[in-house]
Amino acid sequence: MNLLSILQSVNLWLHLISMAVWVGGMAFFLFVFGPAAHSLAPADGIRALNHGRQSFQTLSWIAINLLFLTGVLNFLFRAAASGLHFGTAYYSILTVKLLLFLAMTFHYSLQAFKYAPRIASLTAQTGDGIESWPEPLLAAWRKWFTLLKINTTLGAIVLFLGLGLSGR
Ligand code: HEM
């Protein structure tokens, strides 16, 4: 194995690990962490969900940036290896994949910059003895989770488009 193919493999693995962190993290938050936080006593659940959101957001920003960087490098390595001779399907799949990735990043920015600050401030206003989830906080979480559901679905589609690229 020459240096170029070693770097290409390392980059591809970093791409797959970043994908597993972001798309896997979304699925875990949607299907495991979210329902678990709602099964706790309201005061504990409200704090646990907000704390989990903060960790998820930090990991997601790292994964999104790594996905874009390793994705571009994936393309450049493949271009170097194939002398820029890609099948027509390669370009169309990559274009659709990039558009969906940009849509996912836009949805994620709405979660992080529009709804997260509201969730954080409403969470800070809730006392330890609270008996039920306040409606304004629930409303903000519902919007955040709706974007999470859309992104988890798009993430699965982009994953398959990625597999479609590597087979070409
Ligand atoms: C949620 C985002 C993403 C997911 C889930 C994802 C997933 C994947 C997967 C599963 C593969 C196949 C790896 C293999 O087995 O060979 C792949 C390859 C690839 N990805 Fe991504 N990817 C994402 C974002 C991106 C972005 C943003 C770019 C471009 C900037 C990109 C460019 C590529 C390229 C060029 C390949 C093909 C490598 C080759 O030619 O073999 N990906 N991706």
Side-chain angles (χ1 to χ4, degrees):
M1 272 182 106
N2 62 29
L3 181 61
L4 189 70
S5 54
I6 291 171
L7 289 175
Q8 186 173 10
S9 310
V10 170
N11 185 68
L12 198 57
W13 271 109
L14 202 52
H15 194 69
L16 293 175
I17 292 166
S18 311
M19 170 201 72
V21 168
W22 194 27
V23 181
M26 286 192 257
F28 175 75
F29 206 96
L30 186 58
F31 299 118
V32 180
F33 193 81
H38 275 288
S39 68
L40 297 174
D44 300 334
I46 288 169
R47 291 207 197 310
L49 200 60
N50 187 48
H51 191 68
R53 174 192 60 73
Q54 289 163 334
S55 310
F56 168 74
Q57 285 192 195
T58 307
L59 282 177
S60 296
W61 280 130
I62 297 168
I64 290 169
N65 285 287
L66 274 179
L67 271 166
F68 188 76
L69 178 68
T70 56
V72 170
L73 288 173
N74 270 344
F75 179 74
L76 295 176
F77 279 127
R78 177 66 88 103
S82 68
L84 276 175
H85 293 301
F86 297 99
T88 47
Y90 191 94
Y91 281 118
S92 1
I93 294 174
L94 187 59
T95 307
V96 174
K97 189 178 177 205
L98 260 182
L99 289 174
L100 292 182
F101 173 77
L102 292 176
M104 289 173 71
T105 308
F106 172 67
H107 297 149
Y108 180 69
S109 303
L110 286 177
Q111 285 180 293
F113 299 127
K114 183 170 181 187
Y115 299 112
R118 183 159 169 67
I119 290 169
S121 69
L122 289 169
T123 299
Q125 292 164 26
T126 57
D128 291 342
I130 200 162
E131 304 272 320
S132 64
W133 288 66
E135 191 42 48
L137 179 58
L138 271 179
W141 270 119
R142 276 195 209 99
K143 293 203 176 92
W144 195 92
F145 268 93
T146 300
L147 290 163
L148 185 72
K149 284 175 191 157
I150 296 170
N151 265 3
T152 308
T153 311
L154 290 180
I157 297 169
V158 175
L159 189 158
F160 284 107
L161 289 173
L163 293 174
L165 279 177
S166 66
R168 300 212 169 263

